[in-house]
């Protein structure tokens, strides 16, 4: 089973700051990378996908991919208390459509 | 309403009983998935299906049975529930080949006593 690793946190940042969430993966042939957000007691929802090396921006969210280092990150600019959630990194691997990391819990302090 | 629904939302059952969790989607998505989510383990894939009558095992299939006779339904059965199967179960679906961008149902919280 290929692995997806994330720091479990909690990661605490003050309101308005940049939150940086990191993910490493072991399957070198992976070509697609996804970030899901999960609020406490709710189901995961897709917030970002990235397929090419470099940065992809969507509003306050930026996904960064470095395939050589097998590293993908999610930056949240101008963090808001409503961003407090668990962020799950997910990567297709082998025969498994998506392998999820255990998630990083983010807390934005007002 | 369109979307993906799960039933029941909460279930308490006893060890050894058979339990079926239902999942229904109205998008006509090809792919459907069952995950369980536990503290310390994250989301783990139990089974998935690429189309009606096609199912494949995921990471943790033991003790579970699935079927998919219709595109819109993907029930998950615990044949003889054990306490280790206490968990939150999520169903998800995806319209494309590959099953990458998945849309999740609200979840079923199952407690086995």
């Amino acid at each position: 089973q290929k692995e997806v690793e994330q720091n479990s946190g909690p990661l605490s940042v003050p309101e308005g700051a940049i939150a940086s969430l990191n993910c490493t993966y072991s399957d070198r042939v992976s070509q697609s990378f996804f970030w899901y957000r999960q609020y406490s007691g709710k189901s995961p929802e897709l917030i970002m996908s990235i397929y090419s090396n470099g940065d992809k921006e969507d509003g306050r969210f930026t996904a960064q991919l470095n395939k050589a280092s097998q590293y993908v990150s999610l930056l949240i600019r101008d963090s808001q208390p409503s961003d407090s959630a668990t962020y799950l990194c997910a990567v297709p691997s082998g025969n498994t459509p998506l392998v999820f990391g255990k998630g990083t819990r983010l807390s934005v302090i007002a | 309403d369109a979307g993906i629904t799960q039933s029941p939302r909460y279930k308490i059952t006893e060890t050894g009983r058979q339990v079926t969790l239902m999942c229904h989607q109205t998008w006509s998505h090809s792919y459907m998935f069952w995950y369980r989510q536990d503290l310390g383990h994250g989301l783990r894939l139990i089974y998935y299906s690429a189309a009606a009558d096609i199912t494949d095992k995921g990471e943790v299939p033991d003790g579970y049975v699935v079927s998919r006779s219709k595109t819109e339904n993907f029930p998950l059965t615990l044949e003889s529930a054990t306490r280790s199967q206490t968990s939150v179960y999520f169903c998800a679906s995806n319209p494309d080949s590959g099953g990458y961008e998945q849309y999740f149902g609200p979840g079923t919280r199952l407690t086995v006593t």
Side-chain angles (χ1 to χ4, degrees):
Chain A
Q1 173 70 40
K2 301 295 184 178
E3 294 184 345
V4 178
E5 300 287 341
Q6 296 181 253
N7 189 323
S8 63
L11 173 66
S12 294
V13 299
E15 183 176 358
I18 296 175
S20 178
L21 306 165
N22 304 317
C23 171
T24 59
Y25 59 93
S26 62
D27 190 348
R28 289 187 168 274
V29 302
S30 295
Q31 297 294 318
S32 311
F33 307 87
F34 303 89
W35 284 99
Y36 284 77
R37 177 177 62 198
Q38 185 175 24
Y39 291 113
S40 180
K42 302 296 185 182
S43 55
E45 58 176 332
L46 180 67
I47 56 171
M48 287 289 286
S49 58
I50 187 166
Y51 304 92
S52 304
N53 276 331
D55 296 358
K56 178 182 177 183
E57 187 174 317
D58 184 0
R60 295 185 296 110
F61 297 95
T62 298
Q64 299 176 319
L65 175 61
N66 184 326
K67 291 183 181 179
S69 299
Q70 295 175 243
Y71 177 92
V72 58
S73 64
L74 179 70
L75 302 179
I76 305 175
R77 291 183 301 281
D78 188 24
S79 295
Q80 301 297 309
S82 59
D83 295 325
S84 296
T86 297
Y87 290 80
L88 307 172
C89 176
V91 181
S93 182
N95 293 327
T96 304
L98 277 182
V99 176
F100 284 84
K102 295 179 181 178
T104 298
R105 186 158 55 96
L106 172 66
S107 178
V108 181
I109 310 300
Chain B
D1 291 339
I4 184 166
T5 57
Q6 294 182 236
S7 61
R9 295 292 314 279
Y10 303 91
K11 177 73 176 180
I12 300 174
T13 191
E14 295 177 341
T15 299
R17 291 198 180 259
Q18 183 179 80
V19 178
T20 296
L21 309 184
M22 303 301 293
C23 179
H24 175 78
Q25 52 104 354
T26 61
W27 293 310
S28 298
H29 285 177
S30 299
Y31 279 75
M32 296 187 75
F33 310 84
W34 274 107
Y35 292 90
R36 59 178 291 175
Q37 187 172 39
D38 307 285
L39 281 174
H41 289 282
L43 272 169
R44 292 182 290 174
L45 182 65
I46 304 171
Y47 271 98
Y48 67 103
S49 168
D53 298 322
I54 300 174
T55 61
D56 283 292
K57 294 180 180 181
E59 180 185 0
V60 289
D62 293 343
Y64 302 95
V65 175
V66 293
S67 62
R68 192 155 177 220
S69 58
K70 293 183 178 181
T71 300
E72 61 267 29
N73 296 323
F74 191 36
L76 176 73
T77 297
L78 289 66
E79 294 187 299
S80 179
T82 65
R83 290 183 179 174
S84 65
Q85 293 177 309
T86 293
S87 186
V88 179
Y89 291 85
F90 287 104
C91 179
S93 70
N94 174 273
D96 307 318
S97 63
Y100 299 155
E101 300 186 7
Q102 298 179 13
Y103 299 87
F104 283 78
T108 294
R109 183 174 294 275
L110 175 67
T111 302
V112 183
T113 62

